[in-house]
Structures are given as C-alpha cells and as structure tokens.
Amino acid sequence: MSAPAGPSMISLEQLTKSYPGQVEAAVQSLDLEVPEGEIVVLVGPSGCGKTTTMKMINRIIEPTSGVIRLQGEDVTHSPADQLRRRMGYVIQQIGLFPHLTIEDNVAVVPRLLKWSGDRTRARVDELLDLVGMDPSVYRSRYPKELSGGQRQRIGVARALAADPPVMLMDEPFGAVDPIAREKLQNEFLRLQEELRKTIVFVTHDIDEAIKMGDRIAVLREHSVVAQYDTPERILSDPADAFVAEFIGAGASLKRLGLARVRDYPYADWPVAAISDGPQAALAALDRSDETSLLLLDDQRRPLRWVQRQDLQAAGASLDRAGMAVRAMVEPTATLAGALDAMVSSRTGGVVVVDGRGGFLGTVDMGVIMKAAEDMRAAAQDSARSGGPLMRAASGT
C-alpha cells in the first residue's frame, strides 16, 4: 500500500459496521487515508461493503465503532446534519426534487445555510455555467424536462453548491448510456482539475476506477483493503491473486485508460481554415504526408475532413466537401477513450478540442501505439525489479 502523497482530508480508523442478526461485519476494522485534493475510488465485487463505507463517512449510516476524522477533526459523533453540509453527495439515481426548478434544486444547501438571495442566485448561475448548462436556458426548467445526462450534471452542481471540501459519489454515472457516461466522466475530470476537491468515488467498474482515480482501494468482502495504490501500480503490480483476478484480462488495454490525451504529443495532421478556400487547403495538404486535411471555422472549431479529390471537386465553397467531423475528444479523455472514438473515424484520426470546441490537435494510431509501447516497457521493468506481481507468480 502506498502512503498518501499529501495531508489527509479524511481518515478512517478501525471503522466497523455490524448489523443485528449478522454474524460477520459488513465493514470490518477499516483503516483508510484519503489525501486532500485527490479522487479515491472504492472498487470491489458486489456486496463487499464499498457503499456502506462511503455512507459512513457522512454518517448516512452510523458506524458501530471506529473513528472518522475530517481535516483532523473527529466527527464520529458530531451533529450529522452539520457534517453533511461539509460534504457534497452525488448518487446514481441523482435524487433531484421533481417539484423544484433546477435553480431551486441547486440552491437547497445554500438556503439551508441561510445564504442571501443574491449570493445564492449568483452561485447557482456560476455552477450551471461550470457544468456546461446555460443558466438563462435551464435555471427555470424542471428535472423532467432534462435528459439523464443533464440531470446528472445538475446533481453534480447541487453537490458543489456550498463549495464543500469533500464530495462523495456513489456510482454517479451508472444510470446513463455509455456515450453520455464517457462525456460526463471527461467533463468531471476537467472540473476536478480546476476545483481540486477531495472525492470518494464508489464504482463496481474497474475501468471506471482506473480512469477516474488518483488512487484506488480494491476491497474484498467486509471492506478489507486488498490493495490501495495508484492505478499504475495496481495494473502493473497487483498485490495478490485476488487483485489480479479482479483487474481481469487485457491489462495492456486498461493501461490506455491511465494515459490522458493531453500527456502525449499530438499527431501532425494538416489543417486549413474553411474560409480560405480550396486552394489554400490543397497547399496545406501538399505540405504534409497525410491524405486527409481538417477544415476549421473562423473560431478554429473542427468542421470537416477532406481529401484531395474533395478539394478538387469543391468549386468555390468547401461547406459540403468531405465528411463532417464526428470523432472528437477533450484533453482529459484517456487514450482508451480516444481509441474508441477512432473506430468511428474513417480518417484514422480523432480531433482534440478544448472546452469550447476549439481545435487543439489530433490523435492517431501512431500516438496510441507509442504510448502502449512505453507503458508495456514500464510494466516489464517493474516485473524485472521484483514487484508484487513477480513475487506472487513465483510463490515467494
């Protein structure tokens, strides 16, 4: 187990939960340090106690014994409602109040804290903008008027409303479709880069844990920690056979879930402004070794992929040349996500855009293969040095 890199925001000491009539504890003597500003993911098989553990942190479930510390303060027996106001809470079912507008849903905790009306309204608008929902459009709507992904964004905004130092997230993206889930994960990671909250995140999905976590606690039954470490270490050096089996096959592909698009040099694909016309685009394509070129609008937002024949046949306008750009990711996306998006791109490249849709670069198979090679070499070096995986295999 690796020690936390920074000061602990949350400390769980011998935390135990036993239920009447049950011989074994649901959570047994758990010790866990959650570093300030990190996402710690609790992951494990169904019924291992990960959600029970998280709910004890804000005392939705009261522990049978043990100590909960928040920023060094023992909050095991402090008033539970005061404790919960220091923690945002996001659940899979979202839990928005259907009879309240979006504004009123987000404002629930600030109003409990008796914020002024002006301060509350300003905070609601700030948060709606932060999660990518125009306040002037969504402020007065009701939850039933939103999609599942939009409701989940509002759930995140509500959890952030009083600017709590800690967020608890229980399968927060599990109720939306895979495409929306990927987008929500990426958007949340982008927000976390800005906000640096301390987050305890529960999931049953090891791939989501690898993508979202700064650290992962792999739990056995009764919330016994099998391994608590960074995603890189867990993938490269599983502590024992249980962890290795839980990770499952395809560790090389899973490692792509650790690598962020932003951390690798972009591929050198040619681009041109659509307003400059076909000749300028042809000249840019001639200067490259690629067979496709990306057309951008005047705000440098990706519009269309074109090839030489498209440009030669376009006449004076490029508005309908080639193919519309569909495969796009943000820098916080993983290379695994980029590879998945690449499947839908007939050009063999995925466009990287910023939060406003502006072009940043492209990722192609050359980028992904180089990253996979580097990660595989690092894993082999770790195995040769006698890491936990090597020792488990040798029986020592």
Side-chain angles (χ1 to χ4, degrees):
M1 181 186 300
S2 65
S8 292
M9 175 65 75
I10 300 169
S11 297
L12 308 180
E13 302 170 8
Q14 293 292 291
L15 199 65
T16 297
K17 180 61 184 179
S18 299
Y19 290 100
Q22 294 188 1
V23 176
E24 297 181 312
V27 176
Q28 181 64 58
S29 303
L30 174 65
D31 291 317
L32 194 71
E33 301 284 331
V34 179
E36 183 177 353
E38 291 193 7
I39 300 177
V40 168
V41 180
L42 308 182
V43 65
S46 179
C48 71
K50 50 190 181 290
T51 293
T52 301
T53 296
M54 191 193 70
K55 287 183 176 180
M56 282 196 287
I57 293 174
N58 69 351
R59 303 212 351 253
I60 290 177
I61 293 177
E62 292 287 355
T64 303
S65 61
V67 176
I68 305 162
R69 298 188 190 277
L70 179 62
Q71 294 176 298
E73 175 190 351
D74 185 347
V75 295
T76 315
H77 304 291
S78 61
D81 59 337
Q82 294 180 16
L83 173 63
R84 290 170 196 151
R85 292 173 190 178
R86 297 166 67 182
M87 299 182 181
Y89 190 40
V90 185
I91 60 176
Q92 178 175 338
Q93 296 82 8
I94 307 163
L96 300 181
F97 298 111
H99 61 290
L100 298 181
T101 64
I102 298 309
E103 177 179 11
D104 290 336
N105 265 284
V106 177
V108 166
V109 175
R111 287 172 179 163
L112 286 173
L113 296 175
K114 302 187 184 303
W115 288 17
S116 69
D118 288 345
R119 182 185 179 191
T120 298
R121 282 188 293 273
R123 181 61 172 165
V124 169
D125 286 357
E126 176 188 4
L127 287 168
L128 290 179
D129 185 64
L130 190 67
V131 298
M133 299 182 71
D134 185 343
S136 66
V137 174
Y138 293 101
R139 189 191 301 116
S140 60
R141 292 190 181 181
Y142 287 85
K144 66 181 181 181
E145 300 176 85
L146 306 182
S147 69
Q150 289 172 331
R151 289 195 297 271
Q152 197 68 62
R153 288 186 182 90
I154 298 304
V156 171
R158 185 175 64 181
L160 290 168
D163 198 20
V166 171
M167 290 184 67
L168 307 179
M169 307 184 75
D170 188 6
E171 301 273 6
F173 310 130
V176 295
D177 64 83
I179 294 174
R181 186 180 195 185
E182 174 82 9
K183 185 174 179 61
L184 286 167
Q185 289 169 340
N186 292 340
E187 288 178 349
F188 187 79
L189 289 171
R190 177 179 57 81
L191 287 177
Q192 173 65 354
E193 284 191 338
E194 178 180 340
L195 301 175
R196 303 311 304 175
K197 297 293 182 183
T198 303
I199 298 167
V200 179
F201 188 111
V202 166
T203 182
H204 67 279
D205 183 347
I206 186 62
D207 293 318
E208 182 171 58
I210 289 166
K211 177 175 181 177
M212 301 299 295
D214 295 302
R215 294 173 189 273
I216 300 173
V218 182
L219 304 180
R220 308 177 194 270
E221 289 186 1
H222 318 301
S223 278
V224 173
V225 178
Q227 188 169 359
Y228 183 37
D229 221 320
T230 63
E232 293 87 349
R233 286 282 297 175
I234 285 175
L235 279 178
S236 298
D237 297 317
D240 57 22
F242 172 85
V243 177
E245 183 178 356
F246 190 78
I247 292 169
S252 294
L253 185 59
K254 285 183 172 66
R255 288 189 192 103
L256 291 178
L258 298 174
R260 304 291 172 191
V261 167
R262 66 188 174 205
D263 295 329
Y264 291 84
Y266 298 138
D268 188 22
W269 285 69
V271 299
I274 195 169
S275 59
D276 288 343
Q279 294 307 312
L282 275 168
L285 188 57
D286 287 340
R287 292 192 296 269
S288 80
D289 295 326
E290 301 294 345
T291 59
S292 298
L293 173 139
L294 182 62
L295 293 173
L296 310 177
D297 69 11
D298 290 338
Q299 283 75 50
R300 290 188 59 79
R301 292 173 298 199
L303 294 176
R304 307 189 71 79
W305 284 107
V306 292
Q307 296 181 328
R308 177 174 300 278
Q309 59 267 32
D310 301 318
L311 296 171
Q312 292 171 337
S317 174
L318 294 174
D319 290 343
R320 296 188 178 182
M323 300 180 299
V325 174
R326 300 191 185 281
M328 290 187 284
V329 297
E330 292 192 7
T332 52
T334 65
L335 288 183
L339 179 60
D340 188 58
M342 198 177 297
V343 174
S344 66
S345 171
R346 285 157 53 190
T347 63
V350 175
V351 181
V352 186
V353 295
D354 61 24
R356 301 181 184 278
F359 173 76
L360 294 174
T362 55
V363 171
D364 60 15
M365 279 304 300
V367 173
I368 289 176
M369 291 175 68
K370 177 63 165 63
E373 181 182 337
D374 290 347
M375 287 183 281
R376 183 166 54 249
Q380 290 170 346
D381 288 344
S382 176
R384 281 193 293 269
S385 69
L389 180 59
M390 195 70 170
R391 293 194 296 273
S394 63
T396 58

